[in-house]
Amino acid sequence: PSCVLSVHDVNNVYHVPLLLLEQKLHRILAEKLQLSSIPKLEGRLDLTMNGLEEKATMWNLCEGSVANEKVLAMLASGQEDLDTLGGISRSMIDWARMAFKLDGFHVSVKIVIVGKYTGLQDSYLSVIKSLKHASMAVERKLDLIWVEAGHLENDFEGDSGGEEEYKAAWEKMKSADGVVVPGGFGTRGFNGKVAAAKFCRENSVPYLGICLGFQAMVVEYSRNMLGWEDANSTEFDEETKNPVVIFMPEIDKENMGGTMRLGSRNTAFTHSKHDDGSPSIAQIMYKNASVVSERHRHRYEVNPER
């Protein structure tokens, strides 16, 4: 029975380690795995565990409870001395502060994700987690709104029964504080992503294009601002006269598996200022560095000769 633990509903998932701590999971694991018998851990177990369970009443997660208020008061006081806090490790102090801080976020930020696989949202799990962590950093409650890319296309509106979904998709776009357009493969929904990029540019809505989403932004700008009406990616139109996104020369066109450009790659800023004299926002974000190294995972790139 001592090893049967309860993990009930809590305000946010980051309270779960505190809930398990209250029920002495760390002690159970140390005993069952015989961690105290490992020479390298000698003297370290007490440093990270001693006294933690004595604070069980502090980790009471019932909303509005006296214990909850005590935790908040303690964290707000800035007390971080281990002796004062009964032996709680520094890492758990920081974790508790973060978990309880999230409960106090009341201002929401609406982020629309325009994707091709919205029926299986796990396809965008890394994007979702990144957005959650970013919202935590700016102290906002994340309100994710999903839009199927194809529903933004004019052709979809003309389909039987598509008018309502088309209208609903654009209403969601208009409610956004920011838009993220992640990657994907194939032509389906690409024009919807292009339409999303156009809407954001014309309405000054922050837009983050990842992989195919970035390609859509380049294609949109080329078509509507540069006047290259047939601008496209060679993935979708190999005969276009304006191939603004091209297949990388070092990639194998015959084999799809394991042929992406992967890992860190240096990218140089070639234009520190725009034609009107304004500075490059991208370069400012990188603290005016002349070369940056970023992770890549793709098979197409913006045509450097266009």
Side-chain angles (χ1 to χ4, degrees), residues 219-238:
V219 169
E220 186 281 319
Y221 191 89
S222 300
R223 290 176 181 176
N224 297 309
M225 296 300 292
L226 302 181
W228 302 343
E229 294 182 2
D230 71 333
N232 213 331
S233 166
T234 56
E235 179 180 3
F236 309 132
D237 183 1
E238 293 186 353

mmCIF file of all heavy atoms in Angstrom, residues 219-238:
data_model
loop_
_atom_site.group_PDB
_atom_site.id
_atom_site.type_symbol
_atom_site.label_atom_id
_atom_site.label_comp_id
_atom_site.label_asym_id
_atom_site.label_seq_id
_atom_site.Cartn_x
_atom_site.Cartn_y
_atom_site.Cartn_z
ATOM 1 N N VAL A 219 6.748 32.677 -51.083
ATOM 2 C CA VAL A 219 5.943 32.613 -52.300
ATOM 3 C C VAL A 219 4.909 33.729 -52.316
ATOM 4 O O VAL A 219 4.714 34.403 -53.340
ATOM 5 C CB VAL A 219 5.256 31.233 -52.418
ATOM 6 C CG1 VAL A 219 4.197 31.245 -53.522
ATOM 7 C CG2 VAL A 219 6.292 30.143 -52.689
ATOM 8 N N GLU A 220 4.249 33.961 -51.184
ATOM 9 C CA GLU A 220 3.229 35.016 -51.109
ATOM 10 C C GLU A 220 3.815 36.376 -51.409
ATOM 11 O O GLU A 220 3.249 37.155 -52.194
ATOM 12 C CB GLU A 220 2.594 35.011 -49.716
ATOM 13 C CG GLU A 220 1.431 35.953 -49.552
ATOM 14 C CD GLU A 220 1.832 37.418 -49.342
ATOM 15 O OE1 GLU A 220 2.802 37.657 -48.606
ATOM 16 O OE2 GLU A 220 1.170 38.313 -49.913
ATOM 17 N N TYR A 221 4.945 36.686 -50.797
ATOM 18 C CA TYR A 221 5.560 38.004 -50.995
ATOM 19 C C TYR A 221 6.001 38.167 -52.442
ATOM 20 O O TYR A 221 5.830 39.242 -53.039
ATOM 21 C CB TYR A 221 6.759 38.163 -50.058
ATOM 22 C CG TYR A 221 7.298 39.573 -50.010
ATOM 23 C CD1 TYR A 221 6.796 40.495 -49.096
ATOM 24 C CD2 TYR A 221 8.296 39.985 -50.887
ATOM 25 C CE1 TYR A 221 7.281 41.792 -49.051
ATOM 26 C CE2 TYR A 221 8.783 41.284 -50.854
ATOM 27 C CZ TYR A 221 8.274 42.175 -49.932
ATOM 28 O OH TYR A 221 8.748 43.471 -49.901
ATOM 29 N N SER A 222 6.544 37.112 -53.012
ATOM 30 C CA SER A 222 7.008 37.182 -54.397
ATOM 31 C C SER A 222 5.854 37.415 -55.358
ATOM 32 O O SER A 222 5.964 38.193 -56.312
ATOM 33 C CB SER A 222 7.736 35.887 -54.773
ATOM 34 O OG SER A 222 8.860 35.676 -53.944
ATOM 35 N N ARG A 223 4.731 36.769 -55.107
ATOM 36 C CA ARG A 223 3.574 36.921 -55.993
ATOM 37 C C ARG A 223 2.916 38.282 -55.855
ATOM 38 O O ARG A 223 2.600 38.936 -56.865
ATOM 39 C CB ARG A 223 2.548 35.831 -55.688
ATOM 40 C CG ARG A 223 2.955 34.426 -56.089
ATOM 41 C CD ARG A 223 1.898 33.419 -55.651
ATOM 42 N NE ARG A 223 2.255 32.046 -56.008
ATOM 43 C CZ ARG A 223 1.549 30.971 -55.674
ATOM 44 N NH1 ARG A 223 0.427 31.119 -54.966
ATOM 45 N NH2 ARG A 223 1.940 29.765 -56.037
ATOM 46 N N ASN A 224 2.711 38.727 -54.638
ATOM 47 C CA ASN A 224 1.876 39.906 -54.406
ATOM 48 C C ASN A 224 2.643 41.209 -54.239
ATOM 49 O O ASN A 224 2.065 42.286 -54.423
ATOM 50 C CB ASN A 224 0.994 39.668 -53.175
ATOM 51 C CG ASN A 224 0.040 38.506 -53.375
ATOM 52 O OD1 ASN A 224 -0.673 38.436 -54.362
ATOM 53 N ND2 ASN A 224 0.039 37.568 -52.448
ATOM 54 N N MET A 225 3.911 41.153 -53.902
ATOM 55 C CA MET A 225 4.697 42.371 -53.733
ATOM 56 C C MET A 225 5.713 42.571 -54.856
ATOM 57 O O MET A 225 5.971 43.707 -55.269
ATOM 58 C CB MET A 225 5.426 42.340 -52.381
ATOM 59 C CG MET A 225 4.489 42.344 -51.180
ATOM 60 S SD MET A 225 3.416 43.807 -51.126
ATOM 61 C CE MET A 225 4.625 45.096 -50.804
ATOM 62 N N LEU A 226 6.273 41.499 -55.355
ATOM 63 C CA LEU A 226 7.247 41.600 -56.441
ATOM 64 C C LEU A 226 6.618 41.442 -57.815
ATOM 65 O O LEU A 226 7.270 41.681 -58.827
ATOM 66 C CB LEU A 226 8.355 40.553 -56.254
ATOM 67 C CG LEU A 226 9.139 40.634 -54.940
ATOM 68 C CD1 LEU A 226 10.215 39.554 -54.899
ATOM 69 C CD2 LEU A 226 9.763 42.021 -54.772
ATOM 70 N N GLY A 227 5.350 41.014 -57.834
ATOM 71 C CA GLY A 227 4.646 40.897 -59.110
ATOM 72 C C GLY A 227 4.981 39.645 -59.895
ATOM 73 O O GLY A 227 4.656 39.547 -61.083
ATOM 74 N N TRP A 228 5.594 38.661 -59.267
ATOM 75 C CA TRP A 228 5.916 37.404 -59.936
ATOM 76 C C TRP A 228 4.734 36.454 -59.740
ATOM 77 O O TRP A 228 4.714 35.646 -58.821
ATOM 78 C CB TRP A 228 7.192 36.793 -59.381
ATOM 79 C CG TRP A 228 8.404 37.685 -59.493
ATOM 80 C CD1 TRP A 228 8.539 38.777 -60.278
ATOM 81 C CD2 TRP A 228 9.625 37.555 -58.754
ATOM 82 N NE1 TRP A 228 9.778 39.345 -60.104
ATOM 83 C CE2 TRP A 228 10.477 38.616 -59.186
ATOM 84 C CE3 TRP A 228 10.099 36.661 -57.805
ATOM 85 C CZ2 TRP A 228 11.757 38.793 -58.667
ATOM 86 C CZ3 TRP A 228 11.370 36.819 -57.293
ATOM 87 C CH2 TRP A 228 12.195 37.880 -57.732
ATOM 88 N N GLU A 229 3.758 36.554 -60.617
ATOM 89 C CA GLU A 229 2.499 35.849 -60.413
ATOM 90 C C GLU A 229 2.651 34.332 -60.363
ATOM 91 O O GLU A 229 1.858 33.646 -59.717
ATOM 92 C CB GLU A 229 1.505 36.242 -61.509
ATOM 93 C CG GLU A 229 1.088 37.714 -61.450
ATOM 94 C CD GLU A 229 0.070 38.061 -62.509
ATOM 95 O OE1 GLU A 229 -0.328 37.142 -63.259
ATOM 96 O OE2 GLU A 229 -0.341 39.235 -62.583
ATOM 97 N N ASP A 230 3.648 33.800 -61.065
ATOM 98 C CA ASP A 230 3.823 32.345 -61.077
ATOM 99 C C ASP A 230 4.878 31.871 -60.080
ATOM 100 O O ASP A 230 5.302 30.717 -60.122
ATOM 101 C CB ASP A 230 4.193 31.863 -62.483
ATOM 102 C CG ASP A 230 5.607 32.270 -62.878
ATOM 103 O OD1 ASP A 230 6.100 33.296 -62.351
ATOM 104 O OD2 ASP A 230 6.222 31.554 -63.697
ATOM 105 N N ALA A 231 5.322 32.760 -59.183
ATOM 106 C CA ALA A 231 6.333 32.371 -58.188
ATOM 107 C C ALA A 231 5.860 31.137 -57.423
ATOM 108 O O ALA A 231 4.706 31.049 -57.011
ATOM 109 C CB ALA A 231 6.598 33.520 -57.235
ATOM 110 N N ASN A 232 6.778 30.199 -57.242
ATOM 111 C CA ASN A 232 6.381 28.964 -56.572
ATOM 112 C C ASN A 232 7.623 28.217 -56.110
ATOM 113 O O ASN A 232 8.760 28.618 -56.392
ATOM 114 C CB ASN A 232 5.579 28.064 -57.521
ATOM 115 C CG ASN A 232 4.523 27.257 -56.785
ATOM 116 O OD1 ASN A 232 4.685 26.935 -55.605
ATOM 117 N ND2 ASN A 232 3.448 26.925 -57.478
ATOM 118 N N SER A 233 7.387 27.152 -55.398
ATOM 119 C CA SER A 233 8.445 26.211 -55.023
ATOM 120 C C SER A 233 8.544 25.160 -56.114
ATOM 121 O O SER A 233 7.525 24.716 -56.665
ATOM 122 C CB SER A 233 8.115 25.550 -53.683
ATOM 123 O OG SER A 233 8.935 24.432 -53.473
ATOM 124 N N THR A 234 9.755 24.746 -56.428
ATOM 125 C CA THR A 234 9.910 23.712 -57.452
ATOM 126 C C THR A 234 9.365 22.369 -56.973
ATOM 127 O O THR A 234 9.213 21.445 -57.775
ATOM 128 C CB THR A 234 11.393 23.556 -57.849
ATOM 129 O OG1 THR A 234 12.177 23.280 -56.677
ATOM 130 C CG2 THR A 234 11.908 24.816 -58.518
ATOM 131 N N GLU A 235 9.056 22.256 -55.692
ATOM 132 C CA GLU A 235 8.405 21.046 -55.192
ATOM 133 C C GLU A 235 7.021 20.909 -55.800
ATOM 134 O O GLU A 235 6.533 19.801 -56.035
ATOM 135 C CB GLU A 235 8.305 21.089 -53.670
ATOM 136 C CG GLU A 235 7.625 19.869 -53.073
ATOM 137 C CD GLU A 235 7.524 19.909 -51.545
ATOM 138 O OE1 GLU A 235 7.934 20.930 -50.949
ATOM 139 O OE2 GLU A 235 7.028 18.926 -50.971
ATOM 140 N N PHE A 236 6.374 22.054 -56.103
ATOM 141 C CA PHE A 236 5.015 22.051 -56.606
ATOM 142 C C PHE A 236 4.928 22.386 -58.096
ATOM 143 O O PHE A 236 3.973 22.007 -58.755
ATOM 144 C CB PHE A 236 4.164 23.048 -55.811
ATOM 145 C CG PHE A 236 4.269 22.859 -54.325
ATOM 146 C CD1 PHE A 236 4.496 23.940 -53.485
ATOM 147 C CD2 PHE A 236 4.153 21.600 -53.763
ATOM 148 C CE1 PHE A 236 4.599 23.760 -52.113
ATOM 149 C CE2 PHE A 236 4.256 21.412 -52.392
ATOM 150 C CZ PHE A 236 4.478 22.487 -51.562
ATOM 151 N N ASP A 237 5.902 23.141 -58.614
ATOM 152 C CA ASP A 237 5.893 23.530 -60.025
ATOM 153 C C ASP A 237 7.336 23.619 -60.513
ATOM 154 O O ASP A 237 8.002 24.638 -60.348
ATOM 155 C CB ASP A 237 5.178 24.869 -60.203
ATOM 156 C CG ASP A 237 5.068 25.282 -61.671
ATOM 157 O OD1 ASP A 237 5.525 24.509 -62.550
ATOM 158 O OD2 ASP A 237 4.538 26.375 -61.940
ATOM 159 N N GLU A 238 7.797 22.561 -61.165
ATOM 160 C CA GLU A 238 9.180 22.535 -61.645
ATOM 161 C C GLU A 238 9.390 23.437 -62.846
ATOM 162 O O GLU A 238 10.542 23.771 -63.172
ATOM 163 C CB GLU A 238 9.584 21.099 -61.988
ATOM 164 C CG GLU A 238 9.659 20.177 -60.780
ATOM 165 C CD GLU A 238 10.189 18.805 -61.138
ATOM 166 O OE1 GLU A 238 10.375 18.543 -62.355
ATOM 167 O OE2 GLU A 238 10.415 17.990 -60.221
#
